[in-house]
Amino acid sequence: MTEFWLISAPGEKTCQQTWDKMMAATTRSNNLSANHKFNIPDLKVGTLDVLVGLSDELAKLDSFVESVVKKVAQYMADVLEDSRDKVQENLLANGVDLVTYITRFQWDMAKYPIKQSLKNISEIISKQVTQIDNDLKARASAYNNLKGNLQNLERKNAGSLLTRSLADIVKKDDFVLDSEYLITLLVVVPKTAYTDWQKTYETLAEMVVPRSSNLLFEDNDSGLFSVTLFMKAIDDFKHKARENKKTFYLIDCECILLFGRDRKPAASKKRYVICNCSLQGPLVRWLKVNFSEAFIAWIHIKALRVFVESVLRYGLPVNFQAMLLQPSKKTMKKLREVLNDLYKHLDSSAAAIIDSAMDIPGLNLSQQEYYPYVYYKIDCNLLDFKV
């Protein structure tokens, strides 16, 4: 499990004292969590009205960016479905694993200049991630179309002789080519009718070349036979073959001739076809780069939310310590109790609600997730499966 709690508390005389107090409560007598300072630069505060409006906008942007991060991660897993053990090594942020990036977070001054207003920074992130989302839809559509075409091809190759592609079966040498008078037709004959075919094919029409029929391929039920005749006898031969359709099945010869001369055997392996089309490699690289971009943007949104909410709750001048806690599943409940005791003086009404919830089994306040201290969850479990 990789879940982080991003919290903030007002500074004591110094922010270091706030940090020391939290560390003492969570690690001195019991190791409830692994803790890290979360560095947020001095951002432009703006007016109270702007902060209140921005708080709601950032909440919506947070959900959107998180959804894009998860979509890119999940699509990476879909593309690498035959190599899912390699998915995690491609889900990096700024070249490092996600836990390392979060625990060593540094604001990206180049992408998100702190001289800009908070609203402008949020708009920069929104435009950036919206573009990633749109590009993902376009690339996913192209990849899925190829995948669908490949699956159709595989179904054709796996079907019966009447429905499957014969490109891998017939060869140029199986046909009479470049003749002004002769043509080769293909007929599917059930195994139970082999004898009937051999006895009758020469008499189905005039001008059938004697002993010209050859068994080219057979599956569990049928065989594919060639037969050569004069072109002027094609219509008569087709008519007689249709009269015997319970026994003989004539295949469109012109289509097969095109296959035999012009098409290369189709690859049955999906990866081979995709790689030959120069699609999977660039797609994986694009997903890797843009997952990193989207994830970095997401953590910056979390930082913005902590800053805005801390200013709204704790007031000016800006004086708070942002902290990143990584609890284990076993210590979550106890950690929540310890934090509530530590910070309940900040908002007595919130603390009272949490105290009552802890006394009522089954009551879940996770949808609101309002505590006396600023709190946001960062869940790095981005995939629907374990790798």
Side-chain angles (χ1 to χ4, degrees):
M1 175 181 157
T2 312
E3 179 178 310
F4 293 92
W5 294 0
L6 181 56
I7 70 170
S8 80
E12 306 283 343
K13 290 183 179 179
T14 65
C15 288
Q16 183 62 39
Q17 287 180 316
T18 302
W19 168 258
D20 293 339
K21 199 171 180 179
M22 187 277 297
M23 286 292 289
T26 59
T27 63
R28 180 171 295 174
S29 59
N30 45 28
N31 291 317
L32 297 178
S33 60
N35 305 326
H36 307 269
K37 285 185 178 180
F38 192 84
N39 298 311
I40 301 176
D42 294 328
L43 301 171
K44 284 190 172 183
V45 175
T47 65
L48 180 62
D49 287 344
V50 170
L51 289 179
V52 171
L54 192 58
S55 178
D56 292 334
E57 291 175 14
L58 286 174
K60 295 175 184 177
L61 184 57
D62 189 351
S63 297
F64 168 66
V65 175
E66 181 181 4
S67 71
V68 173
V69 169
K70 289 183 174 180
K71 277 195 286 187
V72 176
Q74 192 60 51
Y75 204 70
M76 173 82 78
D78 292 343
V79 172
L80 295 175
E81 59 183 335
D82 295 330
S83 306
R84 287 202 163 181
D85 56 321
K86 296 183 179 179
V87 173
Q88 209 65 53
E89 68 187 50
N90 285 291
L91 298 181
L92 305 176
N94 212 19
V96 298
D97 64 86
L98 306 186
V99 172
T100 299
Y101 178 79
I102 294 172
T103 56
R104 299 179 184 175
F105 174 76
Q106 294 293 326
W107 187 273
D108 192 326
M109 301 289 185
K111 288 181 181 175
Y112 314 115
I114 60 174
K115 291 183 179 180
Q116 299 267 5
S117 68
L118 295 175
K119 188 168 181 63
N120 283 352
I121 293 173
S122 70
E123 289 176 351
I124 290 171
I125 294 175
S126 178
K127 290 178 182 177
Q128 175 194 13
V129 178
T130 298
Q131 186 62 52
I132 292 174
D133 189 41
N134 291 336
D135 288 349
L136 176 64
K137 290 174 183 175
R139 290 173 183 268
S141 176
Y143 181 82
N144 290 339
N145 285 339
L146 175 66
K147 188 175 179 180
N149 291 338
L150 179 62
Q151 289 172 341
N152 289 335
L153 181 60
E154 288 176 339
R155 278 195 293 270
K156 288 180 180 179
N157 287 339
S160 71
L161 286 170
L162 289 171
T163 59
R164 66 175 291 176
S165 167
L166 302 180
D168 299 335
I169 295 175
V170 297
K171 303 185 294 293
K172 183 176 181 180
D173 294 341
D174 295 327
F175 299 91
V176 174
L177 301 175
D178 302 322
S179 171
E180 295 182 18
Y181 305 104
L182 298 175
I183 190 170
T184 300
L185 302 183
L186 297 177
V187 181
V188 175
V189 180
K191 285 188 174 180
T192 55
Y194 279 9
T195 302
D196 288 343
W197 168 254
Q198 293 292 353
K199 288 180 178 179
T200 60
Y201 80 87
E202 293 181 3
T203 59
L204 287 177
E206 295 182 359
M207 299 188 178
V208 175
V209 177
R211 295 188 294 278
S212 63
S213 181
N214 294 303
L215 178 62
L216 305 180
F217 182 84
E218 61 182 353
D219 58 20
N220 294 332
D221 303 312
S222 307
L224 181 68
F225 286 84
S226 63
V227 58
T228 301
L229 59 153
F230 281 79
M231 290 185 183
K232 63 174 64 177
I234 287 179
D235 292 339
D236 191 26
F237 187 90
K238 286 182 177 180
H239 177 71
K240 292 292 180 62
R242 291 191 185 100
E243 289 182 351
N244 289 276
K245 63 182 178 180
K246 292 184 179 180
T247 306
F248 312 137
Y249 304 90
L250 189 67
I251 293 179
D252 185 348
C253 176
E254 294 178 4
C255 177
I256 299 303
L257 281 172
L258 288 174
F259 277 135
R261 282 190 280 189
D262 299 333
R263 287 197 49 184
K264 296 180 180 179
S268 59
K269 293 284 186 180
K270 172 169 34 184
R271 186 182 301 155
Y272 176 80
V273 173
I274 294 173
C275 286
N276 276 352
C277 293
S278 301
L279 184 60
Q280 190 184 42
L283 179 58
V284 170
R285 288 192 291 274
W286 184 91
L287 290 169
K288 185 174 181 178
V289 169
N290 285 274
F291 172 83
S292 176
E293 293 295 311
F295 188 86
I296 289 170
W298 185 38
I299 303 305
H300 278 75
I301 286 291
K302 295 291 188 185
L304 283 177
R305 294 191 72 187
V306 170
F307 183 87
V308 170
E309 192 66 19
S310 297
V311 173
L312 288 174
R313 287 210 203 181
Y314 309 142
L316 295 171
V318 176
N319 182 31
F320 67 90
Q321 177 63 55
M323 298 164 282
L324 190 70
L325 284 61
Q326 185 180 5
S328 68
K329 193 170 185 179
K330 293 180 180 178
T331 62
M332 281 187 173
K333 183 177 179 182
K334 180 63 177 175
L335 178 61
R336 191 67 79 187
E337 293 172 355
V338 168
L339 292 176
N340 185 51
D341 289 338
L342 186 61
Y343 298 121
K344 60 185 177 183
H345 64 282
L346 298 176
D347 189 339
S348 57
S349 60
I353 293 173
I354 294 168
D355 283 337
S356 63
M358 289 178 177
D359 294 334
I360 304 175
L363 182 60
N364 184 4
L365 297 178
S366 60
Q367 289 184 338
Q368 298 175 353
E369 293 192 317
Y370 183 82
Y371 301 97
Y373 47 92
V374 173
Y375 162 82
Y376 296 106
K377 183 173 75 171
I378 302 174
D379 188 355
C380 291
N381 298 310
L382 301 173
L383 299 173
D384 294 333
F385 65 90
K386 294 180 179 179
V387 294

